[in-house]
Amino acid sequence: MVDRRLTRNNGTVWMMSGSRREGFRLEGSDVDSMYWPNNHRVIMDMSQSEYYNTANTTLILSDSSESPPGFTLLQLLTPRTTRDVFSACVTMNNKVYISSSIYREITCSVVVPNSTVHGPCGSGVYGNTEYDTACCFVCDFWPHTASSWIDRCHSWPDPEVVDDIVRNGCHFVAIGHPLGPHENQEWRISFSQAEYKFVSSMNHCQFLTYGLLKLFLKEVMNQQSEETNKLLCSYHMKTTVFWAIQQNTLPHWCPQNLLAGFWVCLKLLLKWVYEGVCPNFFIPQNNLFLTKVHGSAQNRLFLQLHELYKKGLACLLQSSSIRSYIIGVLYNPRLSICTDESMIRSEVDYDVELVSESSILCTLPTDLFGLIKVIHTMEQLVDSPLTHCQVVKIQSITAFILQNTVFMLHNIYTNTGVNKQMYIADKMSCHMLKLAAKFGCISNMLYIAMYYYKTFRYREALSVLEMTKVKLAQPYLMYERHVDRERYTEAVGGQSWSTKIRQAVAWDIELDTRICYISELIPEQQSALQNRWPALFIPVFVMLHFLKFLCYRHIDTTLSQAALDELQVLVHHGQELYVSDELRDISWEILGICQQITGNLQAALYSYQQSLTQDPDHKIQTATHRRIQDIL
């Protein structure tokens, strides 16, 4: 919400999509996101061009006259465009079209470097998470080929949802139909935004049915044989649920009918596989099975599904995730499945998820004018209806804004040389950092210590570090999804979120690669920035010992060495709790920097070499190689 309101006309808009946006957090699921240039718009016919100022908007015409249902060619109408779009242009029949295959190749690594093409996306693995990023185009109008869908919406979803969906148009992703006449040039119409609104309009039972189908696909259907385990995908499950709900196949979608809802969907899916036709929910003429579920593979898939169908609802017992929840109900129909989330998930489990979600921050502007715009945007959001999760997120973003503003102000006023301005800016900065610590979690205190170190107030920094160390040593600390549930509940159970986050929660330190926080990490920030990486994430315990080492160097060399020894033990022997795998590259790097500062070049060389052997998540290898060269 914040990103979208901030995006300038010539910026890039980002939207999470897929299962994660819909609310699922299933183990092993990938993270899907879509990106599109905000100053490019697709129109369905030339009459719609009157709604745009072509001086600052590039217009693209959707031409589906020769394409299969659900696909289209995109004709570039105006000469003004980006380098990537221009490079993807091809000429056909004296008209300029944007080639989906060329655009996909050009943009697949724009969001995350070194990604590989997968369908319409750039794909890869970050840490333990697979991701798909789709660079696409947006259209403010509903496609003509999907107009029949509007007429079908009698009972579901509600008319206001339908109006909202139609009003917000669609997207075009870079992949053509494999049987189309212009596969390399065609684009697929994406209804990702509409699908999210459908899922949001589901009742609790319908949503659980969708989740049940996703788990059944992953843990049962896709485990039948190597030949058929890629024929069905999560999108087929979503399509099945949409059709089942809209066709009123089940009179009452309520928790008592959860298994009945699943059975309705499984029968519909079995029918589609038998016929070899899975109709797209928006454009039924687009058969989602056309190039995958046919011939001998289709026959084998049908036989496998039919065997599961013959077992009745007991087929669900083959799913390891589902079995324990339903086994009692299957053997005693008078019982019902517990679907009340508050009964299944404890307060601490809910808090773990909330912390995990809210610790992920958006990329903010690094100019003061841009930050003022962010603050104005936040004020507008605060005045609008917000969910509990959104309030939590706004708190974390506000703390992040205040912290970044402080370091930007310092970098600006240090260069002015005007003492009075520096004094005023310093007073404001200290106030903002303390305010951020009240909004944020325990980790936010380290930004105060960083600022004190940057302004040569080493004793004040050490005082903050000692307070932070005490808080991080509490037995009820929640960090990186690790928490002693019993002690956490005893300490902060039932208290407000603000209290919990200040007293019991810590997350990793995020340093925007465009802002100087402490000079010792500038080479690493520059290396990441050169590789289009937005931030360095540093384990909170590593940063604590790093700052203690840096401060004690100016006060007490013995205590400085003790801080370095603690850091060394942490990096060498710290379990996943303290130093996660994806943050080991920066952790070894920081240890090497400290060792190099003390003159222990052999140990520093070893640490830098260890940094290079870790997953290169932070893109700091350029800095590491330079540091190694300095030693050699």
Side-chain angles (χ1 to χ4, degrees), residues 23-52:
F24 291 103
R25 296 297 181 268
L26 302 178
E27 190 175 342
S29 293
D30 57 3
V31 176
D32 302 307
S33 52
M34 299 171 71
Y35 297 78
W36 62 90
N38 201 34
N39 58 353
H40 286 56
R41 283 293 187 277
V42 178
I43 57 176
M44 298 298 176
D45 56 63
M46 291 303 295
S47 66
Q48 294 168 351
S49 62
E50 65 184 71
Y51 296 103
Y52 301 98

PDB file of all heavy atoms in Angstrom, residues 23-52:
ATOM      1  N   GLY A  23      -2.651 -15.453   1.369  1.00  0.00           N
ATOM      2  CA  GLY A  23      -2.722 -15.727   2.801  1.00  0.00           C
ATOM      3  C   GLY A  23      -2.127 -17.054   3.221  1.00  0.00           C
ATOM      4  O   GLY A  23      -2.109 -17.370   4.409  1.00  0.00           O
ATOM      5  N   PHE A  24      -1.624 -17.849   2.268  1.00  0.00           N
ATOM      6  CA  PHE A  24      -1.048 -19.141   2.625  1.00  0.00           C
ATOM      7  C   PHE A  24       0.415 -19.004   3.016  1.00  0.00           C
ATOM      8  O   PHE A  24       1.152 -18.201   2.435  1.00  0.00           O
ATOM      9  CB  PHE A  24      -1.161 -20.128   1.452  1.00  0.00           C
ATOM     10  CG  PHE A  24      -2.573 -20.551   1.172  1.00  0.00           C
ATOM     11  CD1 PHE A  24      -3.268 -20.023   0.106  1.00  0.00           C
ATOM     12  CD2 PHE A  24      -3.213 -21.465   1.989  1.00  0.00           C
ATOM     13  CE1 PHE A  24      -4.574 -20.395  -0.159  1.00  0.00           C
ATOM     14  CE2 PHE A  24      -4.516 -21.848   1.745  1.00  0.00           C
ATOM     15  CZ  PHE A  24      -5.202 -21.322   0.657  1.00  0.00           C
ATOM     16  N   ARG A  25       0.831 -19.802   3.987  1.00  0.00           N
ATOM     17  CA  ARG A  25       2.237 -19.880   4.379  1.00  0.00           C
ATOM     18  C   ARG A  25       2.601 -21.363   4.460  1.00  0.00           C
ATOM     19  O   ARG A  25       2.939 -21.880   5.512  1.00  0.00           O
ATOM     20  CB  ARG A  25       2.461 -19.197   5.741  1.00  0.00           C
ATOM     21  CG  ARG A  25       2.174 -17.702   5.756  1.00  0.00           C
ATOM     22  CD  ARG A  25       3.107 -16.942   4.814  1.00  0.00           C
ATOM     23  NE  ARG A  25       2.857 -15.504   4.827  1.00  0.00           N
ATOM     24  CZ  ARG A  25       2.031 -14.883   4.003  1.00  0.00           C
ATOM     25  NH1 ARG A  25       1.326 -15.582   3.118  1.00  0.00           N
ATOM     26  NH2 ARG A  25       1.894 -13.579   4.049  1.00  0.00           N
ATOM     27  N   LEU A  26       2.493 -22.030   3.322  1.00  0.00           N
ATOM     28  CA  LEU A  26       2.754 -23.465   3.276  1.00  0.00           C
ATOM     29  C   LEU A  26       4.251 -23.715   3.104  1.00  0.00           C
ATOM     30  O   LEU A  26       4.917 -23.034   2.321  1.00  0.00           O
ATOM     31  CB  LEU A  26       1.983 -24.115   2.130  1.00  0.00           C
ATOM     32  CG  LEU A  26       0.455 -23.921   2.173  1.00  0.00           C
ATOM     33  CD1 LEU A  26      -0.194 -24.563   0.966  1.00  0.00           C
ATOM     34  CD2 LEU A  26      -0.124 -24.500   3.456  1.00  0.00           C
ATOM     35  N   GLU A  27       4.755 -24.674   3.833  1.00  0.00           N
ATOM     36  CA  GLU A  27       6.175 -24.979   3.795  1.00  0.00           C
ATOM     37  C   GLU A  27       6.594 -25.373   2.370  1.00  0.00           C
ATOM     38  O   GLU A  27       5.947 -26.188   1.719  1.00  0.00           O
ATOM     39  CB  GLU A  27       6.488 -26.133   4.758  1.00  0.00           C
ATOM     40  CG  GLU A  27       7.973 -26.359   4.972  1.00  0.00           C
ATOM     41  CD  GLU A  27       8.246 -27.422   6.014  1.00  0.00           C
ATOM     42  OE1 GLU A  27       7.328 -27.736   6.806  1.00  0.00           O
ATOM     43  OE2 GLU A  27       9.366 -27.936   6.046  1.00  0.00           O
ATOM     44  N   GLY A  28       7.675 -24.762   1.902  1.00  0.00           N
ATOM     45  CA  GLY A  28       8.183 -25.078   0.568  1.00  0.00           C
ATOM     46  C   GLY A  28       7.569 -24.269  -0.556  1.00  0.00           C
ATOM     47  O   GLY A  28       7.993 -24.383  -1.703  1.00  0.00           O
ATOM     48  N   SER A  29       6.558 -23.438  -0.240  1.00  0.00           N
ATOM     49  CA  SER A  29       5.935 -22.623  -1.290  1.00  0.00           C
ATOM     50  C   SER A  29       6.888 -21.523  -1.745  1.00  0.00           C
ATOM     51  O   SER A  29       7.665 -20.997  -0.948  1.00  0.00           O
ATOM     52  CB  SER A  29       4.636 -21.991  -0.785  1.00  0.00           C
ATOM     53  OG  SER A  29       3.663 -22.974  -0.547  1.00  0.00           O
ATOM     54  N   ASP A  30       6.793 -21.166  -3.032  1.00  0.00           N
ATOM     55  CA  ASP A  30       7.651 -20.092  -3.525  1.00  0.00           C
ATOM     56  C   ASP A  30       6.977 -18.736  -3.291  1.00  0.00           C
ATOM     57  O   ASP A  30       5.816 -18.656  -2.908  1.00  0.00           O
ATOM     58  CB  ASP A  30       7.999 -20.285  -5.003  1.00  0.00           C
ATOM     59  CG  ASP A  30       6.760 -20.375  -5.889  1.00  0.00           C
ATOM     60  OD1 ASP A  30       5.645 -20.229  -5.359  1.00  0.00           O
ATOM     61  OD2 ASP A  30       6.908 -20.587  -7.103  1.00  0.00           O
ATOM     62  N   VAL A  31       7.752 -17.672  -3.494  1.00  0.00           N
ATOM     63  CA  VAL A  31       7.252 -16.313  -3.334  1.00  0.00           C
ATOM     64  C   VAL A  31       7.118 -15.703  -4.721  1.00  0.00           C
ATOM     65  O   VAL A  31       8.094 -15.615  -5.471  1.00  0.00           O
ATOM     66  CB  VAL A  31       8.206 -15.469  -2.466  1.00  0.00           C
ATOM     67  CG1 VAL A  31       7.719 -14.032  -2.386  1.00  0.00           C
ATOM     68  CG2 VAL A  31       8.325 -16.069  -1.066  1.00  0.00           C
ATOM     69  N   ASP A  32       5.898 -15.317  -5.086  1.00  0.00           N
ATOM     70  CA  ASP A  32       5.614 -14.762  -6.409  1.00  0.00           C
ATOM     71  C   ASP A  32       5.405 -13.255  -6.321  1.00  0.00           C
ATOM     72  O   ASP A  32       4.742 -12.771  -5.396  1.00  0.00           O
ATOM     73  CB  ASP A  32       4.355 -15.407  -7.002  1.00  0.00           C
ATOM     74  CG  ASP A  32       4.472 -16.914  -7.113  1.00  0.00           C
ATOM     75  OD1 ASP A  32       5.450 -17.372  -7.705  1.00  0.00           O
ATOM     76  OD2 ASP A  32       3.601 -17.624  -6.576  1.00  0.00           O
ATOM     77  N   SER A  33       5.944 -12.528  -7.288  1.00  0.00           N
ATOM     78  CA  SER A  33       5.711 -11.084  -7.330  1.00  0.00           C
ATOM     79  C   SER A  33       5.687 -10.608  -8.777  1.00  0.00           C
ATOM     80  O   SER A  33       6.258 -11.238  -9.667  1.00  0.00           O
ATOM     81  CB  SER A  33       6.778 -10.331  -6.535  1.00  0.00           C
ATOM     82  OG  SER A  33       8.076 -10.725  -6.934  1.00  0.00           O
ATOM     83  N   MET A  34       4.988  -9.489  -8.989  1.00  0.00           N
ATOM     84  CA  MET A  34       4.836  -8.915 -10.326  1.00  0.00           C
ATOM     85  C   MET A  34       5.331  -7.475 -10.315  1.00  0.00           C
ATOM     86  O   MET A  34       5.113  -6.740  -9.346  1.00  0.00           O
ATOM     87  CB  MET A  34       3.368  -8.964 -10.758  1.00  0.00           C
ATOM     88  CG  MET A  34       2.811 -10.382 -10.843  1.00  0.00           C
ATOM     89  SD  MET A  34       1.012 -10.436 -11.101  1.00  0.00           S
ATOM     90  CE  MET A  34       0.882  -9.860 -12.786  1.00  0.00           C
ATOM     91  N   TYR A  35       5.998  -7.073 -11.387  1.00  0.00           N
ATOM     92  CA  TYR A  35       6.530  -5.717 -11.522  1.00  0.00           C
ATOM     93  C   TYR A  35       6.122  -5.159 -12.890  1.00  0.00           C
ATOM     94  O   TYR A  35       6.154  -5.878 -13.880  1.00  0.00           O
ATOM     95  CB  TYR A  35       8.058  -5.726 -11.439  1.00  0.00           C
ATOM     96  CG  TYR A  35       8.606  -6.215 -10.114  1.00  0.00           C
ATOM     97  CD1 TYR A  35       8.657  -7.573  -9.813  1.00  0.00           C
ATOM     98  CD2 TYR A  35       9.081  -5.313  -9.164  1.00  0.00           C
ATOM     99  CE1 TYR A  35       9.154  -8.025  -8.595  1.00  0.00           C
ATOM    100  CE2 TYR A  35       9.588  -5.749  -7.947  1.00  0.00           C
ATOM    101  CZ  TYR A  35       9.620  -7.107  -7.674  1.00  0.00           C
ATOM    102  OH  TYR A  35      10.117  -7.545  -6.472  1.00  0.00           O
ATOM    103  N   TRP A  36       5.744  -3.879 -12.903  1.00  0.00           N
ATOM    104  CA  TRP A  36       5.416  -3.283 -14.199  1.00  0.00           C
ATOM    105  C   TRP A  36       5.755  -1.790 -14.189  1.00  0.00           C
ATOM    106  O   TRP A  36       5.700  -1.134 -13.136  1.00  0.00           O
ATOM    107  CB  TRP A  36       3.951  -3.501 -14.555  1.00  0.00           C
ATOM    108  CG  TRP A  36       2.956  -2.887 -13.613  1.00  0.00           C
ATOM    109  CD1 TRP A  36       2.406  -1.640 -13.683  1.00  0.00           C
ATOM    110  CD2 TRP A  36       2.361  -3.511 -12.452  1.00  0.00           C
ATOM    111  NE1 TRP A  36       1.514  -1.443 -12.660  1.00  0.00           N
ATOM    112  CE2 TRP A  36       1.465  -2.566 -11.883  1.00  0.00           C
ATOM    113  CE3 TRP A  36       2.495  -4.768 -11.851  1.00  0.00           C
ATOM    114  CZ2 TRP A  36       0.715  -2.846 -10.743  1.00  0.00           C
ATOM    115  CZ3 TRP A  36       1.758  -5.034 -10.720  1.00  0.00           C
ATOM    116  CH2 TRP A  36       0.886  -4.088 -10.178  1.00  0.00           C
ATOM    117  N   PRO A  37       6.125  -1.247 -15.359  1.00  0.00           N
ATOM    118  CA  PRO A  37       6.432   0.196 -15.447  1.00  0.00           C
ATOM    119  C   PRO A  37       5.163   1.023 -15.327  1.00  0.00           C
ATOM    120  O   PRO A  37       4.196   0.789 -16.059  1.00  0.00           O
ATOM    121  CB  PRO A  37       7.079   0.346 -16.830  1.00  0.00           C
ATOM    122  CG  PRO A  37       6.562  -0.821 -17.618  1.00  0.00           C
ATOM    123  CD  PRO A  37       6.328  -1.935 -16.647  1.00  0.00           C
ATOM    124  N   ASN A  38       5.175   1.976 -14.420  1.00  0.00           N
ATOM    125  CA  ASN A  38       3.956   2.740 -14.133  1.00  0.00           C
ATOM    126  C   ASN A  38       3.578   3.708 -15.248  1.00  0.00           C
ATOM    127  O   ASN A  38       2.438   4.162 -15.327  1.00  0.00           O
ATOM    128  CB  ASN A  38       4.147   3.524 -12.819  1.00  0.00           C
ATOM    129  CG  ASN A  38       2.819   3.914 -12.198  1.00  0.00           C
ATOM    130  OD1 ASN A  38       1.838   3.186 -12.293  1.00  0.00           O
ATOM    131  ND2 ASN A  38       2.777   5.078 -11.573  1.00  0.00           N
ATOM    132  N   ASN A  39       4.537   4.019 -16.134  1.00  0.00           N
ATOM    133  CA  ASN A  39       4.237   4.968 -17.220  1.00  0.00           C
ATOM    134  C   ASN A  39       3.943   4.262 -18.539  1.00  0.00           C
ATOM    135  O   ASN A  39       3.991   4.866 -19.600  1.00  0.00           O
ATOM    136  CB  ASN A  39       5.389   5.961 -17.398  1.00  0.00           C
ATOM    137  CG  ASN A  39       6.708   5.259 -17.699  1.00  0.00           C
ATOM    138  OD1 ASN A  39       6.789   4.033 -17.647  1.00  0.00           O
ATOM    139  ND2 ASN A  39       7.727   6.030 -18.013  1.00  0.00           N
ATOM    140  N   HIS A  40       3.643   2.955 -18.477  1.00  0.00           N
ATOM    141  CA  HIS A  40       3.210   2.192 -19.657  1.00  0.00           C
ATOM    142  C   HIS A  40       1.801   1.668 -19.384  1.00  0.00           C
ATOM    143  O   HIS A  40       1.546   1.123 -18.302  1.00  0.00           O
ATOM    144  CB  HIS A  40       4.144   1.015 -19.937  1.00  0.00           C
ATOM    145  CG  HIS A  40       5.465   1.415 -20.528  1.00  0.00           C
ATOM    146  ND1 HIS A  40       6.309   2.314 -19.927  1.00  0.00           N
ATOM    147  CD2 HIS A  40       6.080   1.012 -21.685  1.00  0.00           C
ATOM    148  CE1 HIS A  40       7.401   2.463 -20.677  1.00  0.00           C
ATOM    149  NE2 HIS A  40       7.286   1.694 -21.734  1.00  0.00           N
ATOM    150  N   ARG A  41       0.904   1.787 -20.342  1.00  0.00           N
ATOM    151  CA  ARG A  41      -0.459   1.295 -20.174  1.00  0.00           C
ATOM    152  C   ARG A  41      -0.912   0.558 -21.435  1.00  0.00           C
ATOM    153  O   ARG A  41      -0.709   1.022 -22.550  1.00  0.00           O
ATOM    154  CB  ARG A  41      -1.432   2.444 -19.906  1.00  0.00           C
ATOM    155  CG  ARG A  41      -1.387   2.998 -18.487  1.00  0.00           C
ATOM    156  CD  ARG A  41      -1.888   1.958 -17.481  1.00  0.00           C
ATOM    157  NE  ARG A  41      -2.022   2.466 -16.138  1.00  0.00           N
ATOM    158  CZ  ARG A  41      -1.040   2.564 -15.251  1.00  0.00           C
ATOM    159  NH1 ARG A  41       0.181   2.197 -15.584  1.00  0.00           N
ATOM    160  NH2 ARG A  41      -1.267   3.022 -14.026  1.00  0.00           N
ATOM    161  N   VAL A  42      -1.534  -0.601 -21.209  1.00  0.00           N
ATOM    162  CA  VAL A  42      -2.125  -1.355 -22.313  1.00  0.00           C
ATOM    163  C   VAL A  42      -3.583  -0.922 -22.454  1.00  0.00           C
ATOM    164  O   VAL A  42      -4.297  -0.787 -21.453  1.00  0.00           O
ATOM    165  CB  VAL A  42      -2.039  -2.871 -22.058  1.00  0.00           C
ATOM    166  CG1 VAL A  42      -2.702  -3.642 -23.208  1.00  0.00           C
ATOM    167  CG2 VAL A  42      -0.594  -3.318 -21.887  1.00  0.00           C
ATOM    168  N   ILE A  43      -4.019  -0.704 -23.689  1.00  0.00           N
ATOM    169  CA  ILE A  43      -5.433  -0.391 -23.956  1.00  0.00           C
ATOM    170  C   ILE A  43      -6.015  -1.499 -24.836  1.00  0.00           C
ATOM    171  O   ILE A  43      -5.282  -2.183 -25.557  1.00  0.00           O
ATOM    172  CB  ILE A  43      -5.603   0.989 -24.627  1.00  0.00           C
ATOM    173  CG1 ILE A  43      -4.789   1.073 -25.930  1.00  0.00           C
ATOM    174  CG2 ILE A  43      -5.200   2.097 -23.660  1.00  0.00           C
ATOM    175  CD1 ILE A  43      -4.991   2.388 -26.706  1.00  0.00           C
ATOM    176  N   MET A  44      -7.340  -1.651 -24.762  1.00  0.00           N
ATOM    177  CA  MET A  44      -8.005  -2.718 -25.509  1.00  0.00           C
ATOM    178  C   MET A  44      -8.459  -2.265 -26.893  1.00  0.00           C
ATOM    179  O   MET A  44      -8.595  -3.072 -27.803  1.00  0.00           O
ATOM    180  CB  MET A  44      -9.216  -3.246 -24.716  1.00  0.00           C
ATOM    181  CG  MET A  44      -8.843  -3.854 -23.381  1.00  0.00           C
ATOM    182  SD  MET A  44      -7.762  -5.292 -23.585  1.00  0.00           S
ATOM    183  CE  MET A  44      -7.413  -5.684 -21.877  1.00  0.00           C
ATOM    184  N   ASP A  45      -8.717  -0.978 -27.031  1.00  0.00           N
ATOM    185  CA  ASP A  45      -9.035  -0.426 -28.360  1.00  0.00           C
ATOM    186  C   ASP A  45      -8.595   1.041 -28.381  1.00  0.00           C
ATOM    187  O   ASP A  45      -8.362   1.651 -27.338  1.00  0.00           O
ATOM    188  CB  ASP A  45     -10.520  -0.575 -28.690  1.00  0.00           C
ATOM    189  CG  ASP A  45     -11.425   0.058 -27.650  1.00  0.00           C
ATOM    190  OD1 ASP A  45     -11.356   1.296 -27.472  1.00  0.00           O
ATOM    191  OD2 ASP A  45     -12.186  -0.681 -27.002  1.00  0.00           O
ATOM    192  N   MET A  46      -8.513   1.595 -29.561  1.00  0.00           N
ATOM    193  CA  MET A  46      -7.939   2.930 -29.730  1.00  0.00           C
ATOM    194  C   MET A  46      -8.758   4.016 -29.024  1.00  0.00           C
ATOM    195  O   MET A  46      -8.224   5.054 -28.640  1.00  0.00           O
ATOM    196  CB  MET A  46      -7.821   3.269 -31.219  1.00  0.00           C
ATOM    197  CG  MET A  46      -6.775   2.430 -31.957  1.00  0.00           C
ATOM    198  SD  MET A  46      -5.122   2.566 -31.234  1.00  0.00           S
ATOM    199  CE  MET A  46      -4.780   4.299 -31.538  1.00  0.00           C
ATOM    200  N   SER A  47     -10.051   3.789 -28.839  1.00  0.00           N
ATOM    201  CA  SER A  47     -10.883   4.800 -28.184  1.00  0.00           C
ATOM    202  C   SER A  47     -10.440   5.069 -26.749  1.00  0.00           C
ATOM    203  O   SER A  47     -10.673   6.157 -26.201  1.00  0.00           O
ATOM    204  CB  SER A  47     -12.352   4.375 -28.205  1.00  0.00           C
ATOM    205  OG  SER A  47     -12.535   3.216 -27.407  1.00  0.00           O
ATOM    206  N   GLN A  48      -9.788   4.084 -26.129  1.00  0.00           N
ATOM    207  CA  GLN A  48      -9.362   4.241 -24.735  1.00  0.00           C
ATOM    208  C   GLN A  48      -8.115   5.120 -24.590  1.00  0.00           C
ATOM    209  O   GLN A  48      -7.759   5.510 -23.479  1.00  0.00           O
ATOM    210  CB  GLN A  48      -9.095   2.856 -24.119  1.00  0.00           C
ATOM    211  CG  GLN A  48     -10.353   2.008 -24.004  1.00  0.00           C
ATOM    212  CD  GLN A  48     -10.068   0.553 -23.671  1.00  0.00           C
ATOM    213  OE1 GLN A  48      -8.916   0.109 -23.675  1.00  0.00           O
ATOM    214  NE2 GLN A  48     -11.120  -0.202 -23.395  1.00  0.00           N
ATOM    215  N   SER A  49      -7.491   5.463 -25.705  1.00  0.00           N
ATOM    216  CA  SER A  49      -6.276   6.287 -25.651  1.00  0.00           C
ATOM    217  C   SER A  49      -6.572   7.697 -25.136  1.00  0.00           C
ATOM    218  O   SER A  49      -5.678   8.388 -24.633  1.00  0.00           O
ATOM    219  CB  SER A  49      -5.615   6.364 -27.028  1.00  0.00           C
ATOM    220  OG  SER A  49      -6.492   6.976 -27.966  1.00  0.00           O
ATOM    221  N   GLU A  50      -7.822   8.126 -25.246  1.00  0.00           N
ATOM    222  CA  GLU A  50      -8.164   9.496 -24.836  1.00  0.00           C
ATOM    223  C   GLU A  50      -8.033   9.700 -23.323  1.00  0.00           C
ATOM    224  O   GLU A  50      -7.998  10.838 -22.843  1.00  0.00           O
ATOM    225  CB  GLU A  50      -9.592   9.827 -25.273  1.00  0.00           C
ATOM    226  CG  GLU A  50     -10.656   8.979 -24.580  1.00  0.00           C
ATOM    227  CD  GLU A  50     -12.064   9.258 -25.090  1.00  0.00           C
ATOM    228  OE1 GLU A  50     -12.351   8.874 -26.247  1.00  0.00           O
ATOM    229  OE2 GLU A  50     -12.844   9.869 -24.326  1.00  0.00           O
ATOM    230  N   TYR A  51      -7.951   8.612 -22.568  1.00  0.00           N
ATOM    231  CA  TYR A  51      -7.839   8.727 -21.116  1.00  0.00           C
ATOM    232  C   TYR A  51      -6.409   9.001 -20.645  1.00  0.00           C
ATOM    233  O   TYR A  51      -6.177   9.162 -19.444  1.00  0.00           O
ATOM    234  CB  TYR A  51      -8.350   7.443 -20.439  1.00  0.00           C
ATOM    235  CG  TYR A  51      -9.820   7.194 -20.668  1.00  0.00           C
ATOM    236  CD1 TYR A  51     -10.238   6.237 -21.603  1.00  0.00           C
ATOM    237  CD2 TYR A  51     -10.789   7.907 -19.970  1.00  0.00           C
ATOM    238  CE1 TYR A  51     -11.587   5.999 -21.830  1.00  0.00           C
ATOM    239  CE2 TYR A  51     -12.141   7.677 -20.187  1.00  0.00           C
ATOM    240  CZ  TYR A  51     -12.531   6.719 -21.114  1.00  0.00           C
ATOM    241  OH  TYR A  51     -13.870   6.496 -21.329  1.00  0.00           O
ATOM    242  N   TYR A  52      -5.448   9.024 -21.571  1.00  0.00           N
ATOM    243  CA  TYR A  52      -4.038   9.136 -21.173  1.00  0.00           C
ATOM    244  C   TYR A  52      -3.363  10.320 -21.846  1.00  0.00           C
ATOM    245  O   TYR A  52      -3.700  10.700 -22.977  1.00  0.00           O
ATOM    246  CB  TYR A  52      -3.281   7.850 -21.528  1.00  0.00           C
ATOM    247  CG  TYR A  52      -3.855   6.630 -20.865  1.00  0.00           C
ATOM    248  CD1 TYR A  52      -4.729   5.781 -21.555  1.00  0.00           C
ATOM    249  CD2 TYR A  52      -3.550   6.335 -19.546  1.00  0.00           C
ATOM    250  CE1 TYR A  52      -5.274   4.663 -20.942  1.00  0.00           C
ATOM    251  CE2 TYR A  52      -4.093   5.218 -18.917  1.00  0.00           C
ATOM    252  CZ  TYR A  52      -4.949   4.394 -19.618  1.00  0.00           C
ATOM    253  OH  TYR A  52      -5.486   3.300 -19.004  1.00  0.00           O
TER     254      TYR A  52
END
